[in-house]
Amino acid sequence: MEFKKNDLVQVTIEDMSHEGAGIGKADGYTLFIKDAVIGDKVEAKIMKTKKHYGFARLMKVLEPSKDRVEAKCPQARACGGCQLQFMNYEAQLAFKKNKVEANLRRIGGFDNFTIEKVIGMEDPWRYRNKAQFPFGKDKEGNIVTGFYAGRTHSIIPNRNCLLGVEVNEMTLNEIISYMEENKVEPYDETTGKGLIRHVLIRYGFTTKEIMVCLIINGTSIPNAEALCRQLAKISGMTSITLNVNKKQTNVILGDEILPLWGRETITDYIGDIKYQISPLSFYQVNPVQTVKLYQTALEYARLDGNETVWDLYCGIGTISLFLAQKAKQVYGVEIVPAAIEDAKKNAALNKIENAEFYVGKAEEVLPEKYEKDGVYADVIVVDPPRKGCDETLLSTMLQMKPKRIVYVSCDSATLARDLKILCEENYQLEKVAVCDMFPSSVHVETVACLERK
Ligand code: SAH
């Protein structure tokens, strides 16, 4: 049977895509249905058809899956942020474990391995220490803030995202009342006019320090004292700054920071290590899970204090400093110069003297140091972005023959691809752990340990 747009069909969901859409068949034709859960029987409306599969919109759940739950957030379907809010947390973790397993099997060609642990959260809500809210206007001309609807830039008003901390809402309320009282206009993407684009809010989970950075299409705001006075009433307020971004772009932050009130950075801890975080710093967004992730990386590295360790794609040195507590010497490599500045500052702040950092591409720095200076590694840790490691880097790692490689990954597909190359001859996949850094989303972090044969 041929389906066309707007046809209504009944589908039993049998599988889920790695992006979190339910998959089921209508008359043998495969349909992807967002917000449907494995085990659901649903009524769906065909939206788009292709030769071998199509996309349909969930209209009604006819018989709910045993894993289906009521979404906690009233905006869950409209907002682009959460893909798995309709599944109970155990089912979310099972989905993530399956996804990693499937990629390691299918792409990596591994068949003899087990996922040793799946590290979930005790309370999978309000885990984010960072949020960026855009400002705009609704049809009536009221200033609104919230989140972009999936794949678009229309703002769904929501000051109380359940993944973010509670202080976000108080902060947003103060900013909007300041804007209303002082007639400060939100930025309009289509015209390029208006002043306030976004606000970046960060919260130190251990220190309770709050950072507010307003991203503006200009270099100052009217009556800044009034804004600071209002925000300073919030307990924990530590840093208020402006960030200048006058470009017509989707990139949220510009390069320039102008201090308004308090300090320019906030402090937070991961385990025993203290970090100084500026509005522009990269910093893991789920501090509770980050500790567990790094502890797993450290556990897999099995250091006894005599090792030389390379931490590639080190960011602000978070993993490096963790490893430095147990290694003889750690070298970090990262492409963003500002992140390396932070890494060095954070090493000094923690009086860690056995960590050294280099700016550059991992696939250039490591081969060069290896060929020219003959550097050595007992253990190599990598934590690349989604696209994974460059092949030149993998081949240098193989030549350096560390006794162990710990691969931390935010994309299990590229992880599987890279592990396949590393395990062709001299290494074997020893252990895999899955860590849930982003409950309610489809993202999953994986740590794999390779041993030299
Ligand atoms: N390990 C860090 C950061 C991991 S995110 C942490 O846990 O905080 C990946 C990092 O890789 C980012 O900081 C990014 O800037 C960096 N990066 C991207 N491409 C790179 C490359 N070719 N060489 C080195 N670093 C790179």
Side-chain angles (χ1 to χ4, degrees):
M1 183 173 155
E2 292 261 313
F3 289 110
K4 45 184 199 317
K5 197 174 152 99
N6 294 330
D7 282 351
L8 281 179
V9 289
Q10 285 194 1
V11 184
T12 300
I13 304 300
E14 285 158 359
D15 201 354
M16 272 174 98
S17 75
H18 287 181
E19 288 72 43
I23 305 175
K25 286 191 171 142
D27 274 341
Y29 181 67
T30 300
L31 287 168
F32 289 83
I33 307 171
K34 197 170 100 52
D35 307 322
V37 173
I38 298 194
D40 277 345
K41 189 173 170 199
V42 302
E43 182 176 87
K45 191 198 252 181
I46 308 271
M47 303 308 287
K48 197 170 170 186
T49 56
K50 301 208 172 195
K51 195 159 178 209
H52 298 294
Y53 60 89
F55 298 91
R57 171 194 282 276
L58 173 64
M59 302 306 285
K60 209 192 289 169
V61 178
L62 303 170
E63 282 165 34
S65 154
K66 65 174 187 1
D67 295 328
R68 174 170 278 280
V69 290
E70 186 94 24
K72 259 197 176 189
C73 170
Q75 312 283 18
R77 272 197 83 178
C79 168
C82 292
Q83 302 87 28
L84 301 180
Q85 252 203 54
F86 303 95
M87 277 170 112
N88 71 50
Y89 191 54
E90 277 71 53
Q92 288 186 22
L93 291 177
F95 165 85
K96 294 184 186 196
K97 181 176 183 225
N98 281 340
K99 175 165 153 172
V100 173
E101 254 165 8
N103 281 334
L104 287 173
R105 282 222 165 81
R106 210 165 35 83
I107 303 170
F110 295 97
D111 40 38
N112 203 4
F113 68 94
T114 46
I115 293 192
E116 185 224 359
K117 53 185 171 182
V118 177
I119 309 164
M121 291 193 83
E122 251 165 64
D123 175 14
W125 301 99
R126 301 215 176 273
Y127 58 81
R128 287 187 65 99
N129 59 12
K130 171 185 165 182
Q132 299 179 117
F133 295 87
F135 291 93
K137 280 192 172 174
D138 66 11
K139 285 197 196 85
E140 286 78 44
N142 302 309
I143 299 171
V144 292
T145 185
F147 292 91
Y148 292 130
R151 295 172 201 220
T152 76
H153 270 196
S154 58
I155 297 173
I156 297 168
N158 182 2
R159 300 183 196 182
N160 185 22
C161 168
L162 299 174
L163 304 189
V165 289
E166 269 150 353
V167 295
N168 287 343
E169 189 174 16
M170 282 179 254
T171 306
L172 294 170
N173 290 346
E174 295 300 343
I175 295 171
I176 292 202
S177 77
Y178 152 81
M179 288 170 75
E180 286 167 350
E181 279 157 28
N182 293 278
K183 308 253 174 311
V184 180
E185 290 289 310
Y187 177 73
D188 182 334
E189 278 185 327
T190 47
T191 61
K193 296 217 166 69
L195 188 60
I196 314 275
R197 298 174 74 121
H198 277 83
V199 62
L200 162 71
I201 306 172
R202 273 185 155 148
Y203 180 72
F205 271 56
T206 41
T207 57
K208 310 222 175 335
E209 293 181 0
I210 305 168
M211 161 187 288
V212 174
C213 175
L214 273 189
I215 296 109
I216 58 168
N217 175 35
T219 48
S220 66
I221 57 169
N223 204 0
E225 313 74 53
L227 175 72
C228 293
R229 216 179 311 120
Q230 275 170 255
L231 286 175
K233 283 190 294 195
I234 299 171
S235 152
M237 191 57 62
T238 303
S239 165
I240 307 175
T241 56
L242 298 174
N243 174 270
V244 179
N245 184 359
K246 295 197 242 180
K247 295 195 189 126
Q248 246 176 318
T249 157
N250 276 345
V251 179
I252 295 178
L253 286 161
D255 301 326
E256 196 184 348
I257 300 285
L258 306 169
L260 275 188
W261 183 91
R263 302 203 320 252
E264 277 182 58
T265 57
I266 59 167
T267 312
D268 197 22
Y269 287 83
I270 300 177
D272 296 329
I273 310 271
K274 188 173 177 181
Y275 295 91
Q276 211 84 271
I277 310 150
S278 86
L280 297 174
S281 307
F282 172 87
Y283 188 64
Q284 293 279 0
V285 300
N286 182 336
V288 172
Q289 293 300 90
T290 299
V291 184
K292 299 181 196 166
L293 180 75
Y294 293 173
Q295 266 160 358
T296 305
L298 188 60
E299 177 196 320
Y300 283 9
R302 273 200 276 140
L303 304 175
D304 61 21
N306 295 312
E307 290 88 353
T308 298
V309 183
W310 283 78
D311 176 22
L312 308 171
Y313 309 89
C314 70
I316 61 167
T318 23
I319 296 180
S320 320
L321 299 183
F322 229 73
L323 295 165
Q325 302 172 93
K326 295 276 163 67
K328 187 170 96 198
Q329 177 68 37
V330 177
Y331 298 100
V333 183
E334 158 66 43
I335 197 169
V336 176
I340 288 292
E341 285 308 306
D342 278 347
K344 288 179 180 166
K345 270 188 225 155
N346 288 326
L349 187 70
N350 291 283
K351 305 200 166 52
I352 291 178
E353 284 162 3
N354 58 339
E356 221 177 287
F357 296 95
Y358 302 106
V359 181
K361 291 186 182 170
E363 63 272 22
E364 288 173 9
V365 174
L366 194 68
E368 197 185 296
K369 298 256 172 230
Y370 176 64
E371 275 148 35
K372 280 214 192 108
D373 313 335
V375 295
Y376 167 86
D378 293 295
V379 177
I380 297 181
V381 178
V382 297
D383 183 8
R386 308 194 65 141
K387 68 171 193 226
C389 296
D390 195 276
E391 265 193 63
T392 331
L393 176 65
L394 295 176
S395 79
T396 303
M397 283 162 64
L398 288 171
Q399 285 170 43
M400 286 174 76
K401 299 192 180 65
K403 58 183 178 200
R404 230 160 275 130
I405 297 173
V406 179
Y407 195 132
V408 182
S409 161
C410 54
D411 185 334
S412 53
T414 56
L415 168 75
R417 178 200 68 198
D418 291 351
L419 291 189
K420 186 177 183 180
I421 296 172
L422 292 170
C423 292
E424 243 149 39
E425 279 171 31
N426 294 327
Y427 286 86
Q428 67 191 29
L429 180 57
E430 192 83 344
K431 281 190 268 190
V432 181
V434 164
C435 183
D436 189 20
M437 301 279 270
F438 308 103
S440 286
S441 88
V442 293
H443 300 291
V444 54
E445 207 82 12
T446 310
V447 190
C449 177
L450 306 183
E451 289 279 343
R452 196 175 62 210
K453 280 187 214 160

